Amino acid sequence: MTTTHPVLTAEEEALLPSEEDVRHYAEHGWYLSRKLLTDDEVDTLVAATDRYYAGERDRRLPVRPPKLAYWEPAKGDVQRHNDYVHHEHDALGRILRKPLIGAVAARLARADEIRIFQSTLIYKPPISGEPSNIVPWHFDKHYWASSSSENMLTAFIPFHDCGEEMGTITIVDGSHRWREVGADDTVVRHFADRDRDQLEAMLAENAAHNRAEIRKVPMVIPKGHMSFHHCRVYHGSGPNVSGRPRQAVSLHLQDGANAWREYPLSDGTLAAYNHDVLVRRTPEGRPDYADPDFCPVIWRDRAPQGG
């Protein structure tokens, strides 16, 4: 865990987003990075993933959260999602906590601190007709209703060159700036538990309300690079028709100001996230989204970025 102010090398400083990049992110909701991971680091991720899928764990979650994404071999050759890999597997976690990743996120979010919120290992099999390979349009903040921040973001980190033929992540350009309409309690459910036609209709309805064009931008990402997207930008992905697996991590990141908040649903219950049964409690008895065991700091600047 990073508990002091990390220091970047001069070479790493040169890889940070420019002010123009930060303005682009603010306007469009996405950013394609420079090469943030070395080939050796990516190859380490691949080897560690193989061991993870073979059952290797350095620790297990103390309890199983109710909505945990956790592929196991019995589920077969579907798209795999495994949450909390930064916590369960040290070799994966060491690279996902690389300060440079946090520094890029901090600059984009104009934050002075970045913590991991979640890490999800993803394997999209090379089966073009596999229904689970299609990720419908959604945005992540819907699932994070119990989080106070509107500046959370995600780094999508493929383990290889990743283009359209692999079903790369695709962003609806600028949609994070739309005013949302037509939302109800169903939006807090994961896209896998929702009707795809409903999600398509919601995207179209929101675009029309904002008099916006739906411009879909596939992220073409070379090995060692990654894309970052805002927590309110619509995104999804298509089938993998490349003939080889698409392997990646979605590294969800929170700025230092993020905290648990009370978000009532229409049935009288509160919106919840998997962390809520895992993390320590604040002195007020609330889930602590700064718990270093599950939400480690990966970047802390000496002064706020401003904005």
Side-chain angles (χ1 to χ4, degrees):
M1 247 171 321
T2 302
T3 55
T4 58
H5 298 299
V7 177
L8 302 182
T9 65
E11 291 79 8
E12 289 175 324
E13 290 274 358
L15 299 174
L16 294 175
S18 66
E19 275 304 313
E20 182 179 351
D21 293 329
V22 175
R23 287 193 295 272
H24 179 279
Y25 173 81
E27 180 178 354
H28 296 274
W30 58 270
Y31 168 70
L32 281 173
S33 81
R34 298 166 177 84
K35 188 170 184 175
L36 304 184
L37 298 179
T38 67
D39 286 348
D40 285 347
E41 286 173 324
V42 178
D43 292 345
T44 296
L45 285 174
V46 172
T49 295
D50 289 344
R51 300 196 306 275
Y52 179 92
Y53 284 139
E56 181 179 274
R57 303 289 188 277
D58 292 290
R59 64 194 58 80
R60 299 272 183 173
L61 297 178
V63 297
R64 189 180 181 94
K67 298 178 182 178
L68 182 70
Y70 210 83
W71 178 88
E72 294 170 313
K75 295 183 178 180
D77 206 11
V78 297
Q79 184 169 194
R80 309 175 189 176
H81 288 79
N82 288 84
D83 290 340
Y84 292 101
V85 294
H86 69 286
H87 175 79
E88 288 198 327
H89 199 279
D90 288 342
L92 291 168
R94 274 192 296 272
I95 294 177
L96 297 177
R97 292 194 301 271
K98 185 173 183 176
L100 178 57
I101 299 173
V104 170
R107 184 160 290 192
L108 295 173
R110 295 192 179 276
D112 63 332
E113 180 179 292
I114 293 291
R115 302 188 298 264
I116 290 179
F117 191 69
Q118 181 61 274
S119 61
T120 303
L121 185 64
I122 305 171
Y123 177 104
K124 182 178 283 196
I127 306 172
S128 61
E130 169 52 47
S132 68
N133 273 354
I134 308 296
V135 176
W137 303 110
H138 66 284
F139 63 75
D140 298 329
K141 180 60 178 172
H142 277 155
Y143 317 134
W144 303 337
S146 60
S147 286
S148 63
S149 174
E150 295 288 330
N151 294 316
M152 298 168 72
L153 66 168
T154 295
F156 177 72
I157 310 172
F159 299 170
H160 43 67
D161 294 342
C162 189
E164 289 187 71
E165 76 287 349
M166 299 199 83
T168 191
I169 187 171
T170 298
I171 306 295
V172 178
D173 189 72
S175 55
H176 64 306
R177 295 187 289 113
W178 295 355
R179 182 173 177 271
E180 187 181 15
V181 294
D184 56 31
D185 282 3
T186 66
V187 300
V188 304
R189 301 203 323 255
H190 193 266
F191 60 76
D193 299 323
R194 299 178 64 200
D195 181 81
R196 289 179 185 169
D197 291 339
Q198 180 197 22
L199 291 169
E200 287 279 355
M202 182 176 289
L203 173 63
E205 180 183 1
N206 277 280
H209 178 77
N210 288 272
R211 294 184 171 87
E213 175 190 0
I214 298 176
R215 192 167 82 86
K216 300 173 182 177
V217 182
M219 300 287 103
V220 178
I221 310 171
K223 180 180 178 179
H225 300 234
M226 56 192 75
S227 69
F228 290 78
H229 63 266
H230 189 277
C231 64
R232 295 191 69 90
V233 80
Y234 279 96
H235 59 283
S237 68
N240 177 9
V241 297
S242 69
R244 63 190 185 96
R246 195 204 76 178
Q247 295 183 269
V249 164
S250 278
L251 183 62
H252 302 305
L253 301 166
Q254 55 178 322
D255 52 294
N258 186 51
W260 182 90
R261 67 171 178 177
E262 188 174 284
Y263 190 91
L265 301 175
S266 60
D267 63 1
T269 64
L270 297 179
Y273 187 70
N274 283 331
H275 288 348
D276 298 354
V277 299
L278 293 171
V279 297
R280 68 189 181 186
R281 291 302 187 261
T282 66
E284 299 77 28
R286 300 176 173 183
D288 185 0
Y289 290 173
D291 183 339
D293 284 343
F294 298 98
C295 304
V297 173
I298 62 171
W299 180 258
R300 182 178 289 136
D301 208 343
R302 290 173 176 78
Q305 294 285 332

